[in-house]
Amino acid sequence: MKSELKAGKNSEDGHASAQGLPAAQGLYDPRFEHDACGIGMLVNIEGKKSHALVRDALKVLINLTHRAGAGADPNTGDGAGILMQIPHRFLKRVCADRGIELPGEGEYGVAMMFASPDQGRRDRTMSMFESIVRSEGLEQIGLRSTPTYPEAVGKLARDVCPAIEQVFIRRPENMNREDFERRLYVISKLAVSQIRNVKYISSDPYFYLASLSSYTIVYKGMLVPGQISAFYPDLRDEDVESAIALVHSRYSTNTFPSWERAHPIRHLIHNGEINTIRGNVNWVKAREAILESEKYGADYAKILPIINEDGSDSAMLDDFLQFMRNAGYSLPHALMMAIPEPWEKDESMDPDRRAFYEYCSCLMEPWDGPAAIAFTDGKIAGARLDRNGLRPARYCVTKGGMLILSSEVGVLPIPPEEIVRKDRLRPGRMLLIDTVEGRIVEDDEIKARIATER
């Protein structure tokens, strides 16, 4: 079937072919794509960064290879990737080698950008992106072409492989970290509308921001799990350290793989599908005209549309969570609103929590479907299941203070005597690790705190 579908031929539908997805035609519509995947999350509960954690996360990813898809070319995968904290010591060193002087940790953001392999088109894209950064009152302090080894991947992946660039943006001295994150979010939304939008002559059909943050960075691609550290030599460097890592292997059951549809997205990894996505997206669009936010202020118009409908169901949920987080909600709060537990007929539920869910039901509709989700903002990390618990997730905690969660057991060999806790996620329940406070926050505590904030 795939060989019979025709990719776009010009700039108006070139995005589809560049990203590996054909345009809607005949019985095929990219809106109906779903996938089933493997997810993994490793967190040092006390927030201690190490390369060992990154290395173990990549082992977990390799052990999820059976959850990853590949086509007729076994070296072209449906997608694999890792989301982790920005490895400041590593970037400081490699940027200095290129004459880029990075400021201190947390004082800059990093854009992980997919762009055209064509030099001329890429130069126009980078120039447009820098103009957007300047228009938002920020300074672009450097550009690093991310080292890659295309020979490590299959021909089909190489044929649509983007150039991968890292762009560094300075945080102004008078701007706090969260305001800076919000400004980076606004830049990312403007970049999508002004660079990728096909109405622009210089649009880049390859353009995609895998991440843009002062906390986290994403390495991903149209890879099988065992290829990621070969394709991205950065990940093998001992100075690449993190206390949080989310990994994902994609199996696109009735879909087309692409570089951008690989997970992680900016905040989450996802195993399953959201069955109500069309209704969720339509309701968000319907409310855009009446929404307002003290956090966004006059910038609100710049971030519309809130959800990019070219994305997968996972990417659209991530768009919504990004919007909510930058509007002042925490990720756990936003997820409680978007994916509520079954509260309507639970007579034993705490009255404050029930009132919270009842109030939220007037604001938005649940994003329902069989789903296991892991998420992070670079300080906290967590996971939750949908209200029916139709996707599995299990975790363990070691004596060394490491939490390991995955869609199945056995993803990382741990001696039994080193394990102090083993459990599984339950329907509608949330697991949260706060690496700043250095502790696991239990489900009841999270929800009691959020439900009583008012």
Side-chain angles (χ1 to χ4, degrees):
M1 178 177 124
K2 291 185 182 181
S3 62
E4 296 173 358
L5 292 169
K6 300 175 183 177
K9 297 180 181 178
N10 54 42
S11 62
E12 293 198 352
D13 56 4
H15 164 62
S17 61
Q19 298 300 338
L21 295 171
Q25 55 192 286
L27 296 177
Y28 172 76
D29 191 321
R31 292 179 302 166
F32 302 133
E33 298 210 352
H34 304 293
D35 48 31
C37 319
I39 63 173
M41 178 176 76
L42 277 73
V43 185
N44 183 288
I45 297 169
E46 295 182 357
K48 296 177 181 176
K49 296 183 179 182
S50 69
H51 181 67
L53 184 141
V54 176
R55 190 167 55 239
D56 283 346
L58 296 177
K59 289 179 184 176
V60 169
L61 184 58
I62 291 171
N63 288 334
L64 289 169
T65 298
H66 61 287
R67 291 285 185 185
D73 175 3
N75 291 318
T76 294
D78 286 357
I82 181 170
L83 164 61
M84 60 186 178
Q85 294 170 319
I86 289 175
H88 172 67
R89 184 165 67 168
F90 167 76
L91 291 176
K92 183 88 171 174
R93 190 194 82 216
V94 296
C95 285
D97 293 342
R98 290 164 172 77
I100 303 169
E101 187 62 35
L102 291 184
E105 187 170 6
E107 296 176 6
Y108 63 95
V110 183
M112 194 71 163
M113 181 188 296
F114 293 175
S116 175
D118 177 78
Q119 185 68 54
R121 186 184 287 272
R122 185 164 71 252
D123 288 345
R124 290 195 297 271
T125 293
M126 304 313 293
S127 177
M128 290 178 69
F129 186 78
E130 186 171 8
S131 295
I132 293 168
V133 171
R134 284 199 306 269
S135 73
E136 291 303 307
L138 299 182
E139 176 193 359
Q140 181 173 307
I141 54 176
L143 172 69
R144 174 182 181 245
S145 293
T146 309
T148 59
Y149 185 65
E151 290 75 12
V153 304
K155 181 181 183 302
L156 295 178
R158 282 200 308 275
D159 286 347
V160 291
C161 181
I164 302 172
E165 307 284 347
Q166 290 174 343
V167 184
F168 302 94
I169 302 171
R170 189 188 306 275
R171 173 165 67 94
E173 291 183 4
N174 61 349
M175 184 179 289
N176 67 44
R177 191 91 176 263
E178 293 310 309
D179 286 343
F180 183 51
E181 282 290 300
R182 191 172 301 108
R183 183 64 50 197
L184 295 177
Y185 171 64
V186 171
I187 288 170
S188 72
K189 298 293 284 187
L190 288 172
V192 169
S193 62
Q194 295 183 22
I195 297 175
R196 186 161 169 173
N197 194 317
V198 295
K199 294 178 182 177
Y200 288 76
I201 295 173
S202 58
S203 66
D204 185 345
Y206 284 84
F207 178 78
Y208 172 74
L209 286 170
S211 60
L212 175 52
S213 174
S214 67
Y215 288 104
T216 59
I217 190 168
V218 170
Y219 287 82
K220 70 176 184 178
M222 199 166 153
L223 313 166
V224 296
Q227 294 172 341
I228 188 165
S229 61
F231 183 77
Y232 289 112
D234 284 5
L235 297 175
R236 303 197 300 268
D237 195 292
E238 292 289 329
D239 283 342
V240 173
E241 299 174 325
S242 180
I244 299 170
L246 276 59
V247 294
H248 187 276
S249 61
R250 185 168 187 250
Y251 189 93
S252 50
T253 49
N254 61 340
T255 70
F256 291 83
S258 71
W259 281 84
E260 72 173 66
R261 289 205 173 199
H263 292 214
I265 321 294
R266 288 96 180 183
H267 282 306
L268 62 80
I269 52 177
H270 176 214
N271 174 28
E273 58 191 72
I274 300 166
N275 302 137
T276 58
I277 193 70
R278 180 49 42 199
N280 298 131
V281 172
N282 286 342
W283 274 114
V284 172
K285 284 171 61 178
R287 292 177 176 127
E288 284 178 349
I290 60 171
L291 291 175
E292 59 182 47
S293 167
E294 292 179 1
K295 297 289 187 181
Y296 290 117
D299 287 336
Y300 176 67
K302 299 176 183 178
I303 65 172
L304 300 179
I306 292 169
I307 294 176
N308 175 14
E309 295 185 55
D310 286 340
S312 63
D313 56 348
S314 309
M316 287 189 267
L317 174 58
D318 186 79
D319 284 342
F320 177 75
L321 293 179
Q322 268 198 303
F323 167 74
M324 294 292 284
R325 182 185 180 279
N326 286 293
Y329 294 85
S330 67
L331 281 180
H333 192 161
L335 279 162
M336 282 180 66
M337 296 172 72
I339 309 176
E341 56 189 312
W343 59 273
E344 295 94 334
K345 298 181 180 180
D346 187 350
E347 297 178 357
S348 64
M349 182 174 287
D350 176 79
D352 283 329
R353 195 188 302 184
R354 173 185 289 275
F356 170 84
Y357 286 126
E358 185 175 4
Y359 173 74
C360 291
S361 70
C362 300
L363 302 178
M364 70 179 65
E365 296 68 35
W367 296 58
D368 259 341
I373 293 171
F375 58 89
T376 185
D377 63 4
K379 297 175 294 183
I380 63 168
R384 75 166 305 161
L385 296 186
D386 65 274
R387 64 173 77 196
N388 296 309
L390 295 174
R391 285 287 191 270
R394 301 190 69 89
Y395 68 93
C396 69
V397 180
T398 70
K399 290 179 180 177
M402 185 76 69
L403 183 140
I404 303 151
L405 176 140
S406 181
S407 45
E408 55 205 80
V409 296
V411 291
L412 193 65
I414 303 291
E417 62 273 14
E418 289 296 313
I419 296 174
V420 298
R421 176 177 173 182
K422 288 197 296 186
D423 205 349
R424 63 180 177 86
L425 287 186
R426 289 168 172 76
R429 308 283 275 182
M430 186 180 298
L431 172 69
L432 185 67
I433 306 96
D434 188 326
T435 63
V436 177
E437 295 184 3
R439 68 188 185 99
I440 296 175
V441 188
E442 301 296 340
D443 180 81
D444 287 342
E445 180 184 347
I446 307 163
K447 293 175 178 174
R449 185 175 67 214
I450 292 172
T452 56
E453 282 176 344
R454 294 182 175 82

